[in-house]
Amino acid sequence: MLTINQTRQKVSQGGSVYGLLNAVPTPWMVEMIGHAGYDFVILDTEHMSTNPESLEHMIRTAECASVTPLVRVPGVDRAAITRALDSGAQGIVVPRIRNAEEAHDVVQMARYAPAGQRGITGGRTTGFGTLPLKDYLSQANQEVLIVLMVEDQEGMDNREAILSVAGVDWVLPGAVDLSQSLGCPGDPFHSSVNQAIAELATSCRGRPVEFCALPRSPEQLAEWREWGARAFLLGEDRSLLFKHLKSHLAACRSESSPPSP
């Protein structure tokens, strides 16, 4: 059943939130992320082949582990957005937003009237009728987070118009895809990528749109904190798992190596 979006509430009260992208699509990984203390998890259905039933179980697991479940959908896709929210996601992350029209379409798909035109259903989001439908519709418009990703030059060129669309809550840069669009593919640390991300963040100043930083080093994390960011996506579970597994094995092999003569 729909509950208070703790991540949204924490940011609105001036706090900071930390999340992780889930690229190992299993409920146990989501549960682990929640018990590790992350505020939110982004369940990726853009690049991962997660079936709808598994996604619902992962959302349910996030609820049990007290971590806010957001779903990254494949794009500006009404069916995908509807399924994610009807499964209980407390927010959607939409990649490759290029203009205000696309941003407006996302809001219309994710909000109920009068803020949008999301299709109405009951089910688990209303606690199977425990929460009266009219109350649910109003509360869903307040609690669901709409996060837009800007990942190419066209989106950067139209960022002011995108951020002006009513109903957009957060914006998240896609550094790796930006590197491709900006002519330095695979280099998210390139100066042109850093400059584009800084421009996107600056455009959020004075707007009700929260900039979600994606720091790729301790130095970048410190810089974004100093800038005033309050939402942070700290990488993905797949990458963290691989790095820690590799480091653990290397350490064990080093400890078992015979001493040098």
Side-chain angles (χ1 to χ4, degrees), residues 3-13 17 39 66-68 90 143 145:
T3 59
I4 293 173
N5 188 323
Q6 298 294 336
T7 292
R8 185 185 188 109
Q9 183 181 70
K10 194 170 182 179
V11 170
S12 69
Q13 293 174 347
V17 293
D39 297 289
S66 300
V67 57
T68 302
Q90 290 190 300
E143 302 299 338
L145 271 174

Side-chain angles (χ1 to χ4, degrees), residues 8-154:
R8 185 185 188 109
Q9 183 181 70
K10 194 170 182 179
V11 170
S12 69
Q13 293 174 347
S16 296
V17 293
Y18 300 88
L20 205 62
L21 179 66
N22 168 247
V24 182
T26 62
W28 67 264
M29 179 58 71
V30 174
E31 187 173 14
M32 188 185 301
I33 291 169
H35 287 298
Y38 288 89
D39 297 289
F40 66 94
V41 59
I42 299 177
L43 309 175
D44 188 13
T45 64
E46 179 190 11
H47 296 293
M48 301 296 109
S49 54
T50 309
N51 66 58
E53 183 178 6
S54 295
L55 179 64
E56 185 170 306
H57 287 319
M58 291 161 67
I59 290 170
R60 186 178 291 110
T61 301
E63 294 168 353
C64 293
S66 300
V67 57
T68 302
L70 311 179
V71 173
R72 179 161 73 174
V73 296
V76 185
D77 182 326
R78 181 180 294 277
I81 290 172
T82 297
R83 281 196 302 268
L85 294 177
D86 287 348
S87 293
Q90 290 190 300
I92 53 165
V93 180
V94 187
R96 301 184 305 281
I97 295 298
R98 296 186 173 95
N99 53 58
E101 290 74 20
E102 290 181 345
H104 177 266
D105 287 345
V106 170
V107 173
Q108 291 295 301
M109 295 172 191
R111 302 270 192 237
Y112 292 115
Q117 293 297 321
R118 176 183 166 188
I120 299 174
T121 187
R124 70 182 310 268
T125 53
T126 65
F128 303 96
T130 303
L131 180 62
L133 186 58
K134 287 186 177 180
D135 293 342
Y136 164 72
L137 299 180
S138 175
Q139 291 178 29
N141 279 355
Q142 296 174 23
E143 302 299 338
V144 167
L145 271 174
I146 295 179
V147 185
L148 305 183
M149 296 190 71
V150 174
E151 304 187 83
D152 59 22
Q153 185 64 63
E154 184 179 354

